[in-house]
Amino acid sequence: MVPVMKKSSKNRLTPGQQSLFPGESLFDRIARAVCRAGTLPRKELYETWEMARRVRRQFRGGRILDLACGHGLLAHVMLLLDRSSETALAVDPHIPPSAEKLSKSLTETWPGLENRITYLRMSIQEVEILPGDLVVSAHACGPLTDLVLSRAVESRARVAVMPCCHDLNLSSTGALDGWMEKTLAVDVVRAVRLRSRGYRIMTKKIPETITPKNRLLMGEYEADEE
Ligand SMILES: C[S@@+](CC[C@H](N)C(=O)[O-])C[C@H]1O[C@@H](n2cnc3c(N)ncnc32)[C@H](O)[C@@H]1O
């Protein structure tokens, strides 16, 4: 019997696991490059892929800003899914040393990525965001997601976040928690707030079998504030 691969596994993908991804699909090729780097948990590969493809169904082009990027896989996948985005910035004050290894493995597989992704060791507060940018952020913990949204809104840039680690002391439930689960209330407030700033919003989920922190909020500025 073929063993079922647990997509939510936190085990690190290693070069020996390339055989789990034998196909020629873009996903399998990315997965093998991630395995060769030997730096990322399996869960992160699937989270990133599922988020990126949903975002790309809504938003094409633009400079990519992967905020709270960690290893920066999302920045790479966003470029691979849409060649009309030329460059990406991967921003995080604590970029792990192994991020370079991951980027090298992906760039060796797709030489066209060379010099198009820049890692910036800085905080979300410091990065300049332009109106044409596409801001993405996977699992920016707690209020960091609120910061990503407000920074994107300042520049009326398109934005996509997948929140995690909701902090009920720092992010508002809007008193909706009498009707719904508390972390859902926080994300509903975020969505409604984004819409009140003139954004058209979209709400999606990635599969719960990968992560329970699977809500994806996307928005695009469309009108002047009310
Ligand atoms: C849960 S990790 C998510 C990493 C990656 N996006 C992912 O999906 O795996 C949260 C990241 O936020 C980063 N971070 C914390 N404070 C930050 C800030 N002020 N600006 C940017 N990133 C920050 C941390 O260093 C960490 O890498």
Side-chain angles (χ1 to χ4, degrees):
M1 210 170 77
V2 182
V4 178
M5 186 172 28
K6 213 173 149 206
K7 295 180 178 175
S8 60
S9 167
K10 290 182 181 164
N11 290 344
R12 205 158 34 85
L13 288 165
T14 58
Q17 289 174 323
Q18 289 183 79
S19 57
L20 294 171
F21 308 98
E24 278 315 304
S25 65
L26 180 60
F27 175 75
D28 276 16
R29 293 169 68 209
I30 291 171
R32 289 200 298 274
V34 170
C35 288
R36 285 195 291 279
T39 57
L40 278 193
R42 189 184 301 168
K43 179 175 181 283
E44 212 168 304
L45 167 69
Y46 283 103
E47 285 169 353
T48 305
W49 172 253
E50 294 294 339
M51 176 171 174
R53 58 204 284 258
R54 281 166 181 74
V55 176
R56 276 310 194 192
R57 278 187 207 131
Q58 301 294 334
F59 300 142
R60 311 294 292 177
R63 182 179 68 155
I64 303 300
L65 261 63
D66 178 1
L67 303 187
C69 68
H71 287 83
L73 178 62
L74 185 55
H76 291 74
V77 176
M78 290 296 289
L79 293 192
L80 290 172
L81 282 174
D82 179 6
R83 288 177 190 191
S84 64
S85 282
E86 282 180 17
T87 58
L89 299 180
V91 179
D92 197 309
H94 310 291
I95 294 166
S98 53
E100 197 182 330
K101 213 170 166 197
L102 177 73
S103 188
K104 188 164 177 274
S105 179
L106 288 158
T107 306
E108 277 168 7
T109 311
W110 286 278
L113 288 178
E114 190 104 49
N115 299 324
R116 289 171 55 207
I117 297 154
T118 307
Y119 285 88
L120 294 179
R121 211 171 284 278
M122 62 167 66
S123 161
I124 292 169
Q125 285 98 327
E126 296 168 87
V127 69
E128 186 189 20
I129 303 180
L130 304 172
D133 289 341
L134 172 48
V135 174
V136 292
S137 190
H139 291 166
C141 307
L144 214 48
T145 286
D146 297 305
L147 184 60
V148 171
L149 290 168
S150 61
R151 289 296 331 272
V153 166
E154 272 171 32
S155 302
R156 297 180 171 176
R158 294 170 297 169
V159 65
V161 293
M162 187 161 67
C164 75
C165 309
H166 299 70
D167 184 330
L168 300 171
N169 293 316
L170 297 175
S171 299
S172 172
T173 61
L176 293 170
D177 49 324
W179 287 348
M180 63 184 76
E181 189 273 322
K182 289 181 167 62
T183 68
L184 176 59
V186 167
D187 289 338
V188 168
V189 168
R190 287 171 169 155
V192 171
R193 191 180 288 153
L194 190 58
R195 203 165 67 169
S196 76
R197 300 299 302 269
Y199 274 65
R200 177 176 74 91
I201 63 162
M202 292 133 266
T203 54
K204 305 279 177 202
K205 282 181 179 177
I206 73 164
E208 203 159 5
T209 46
I210 299 170
T211 174
K213 304 294 180 195
N214 63 343
R215 291 179 212 120
L216 178 58
L217 170 62
M218 294 177 270
E220 175 175 38
Y221 184 77
E222 64 171 2
D224 286 328
E225 288 169 38
E226 286 168 23

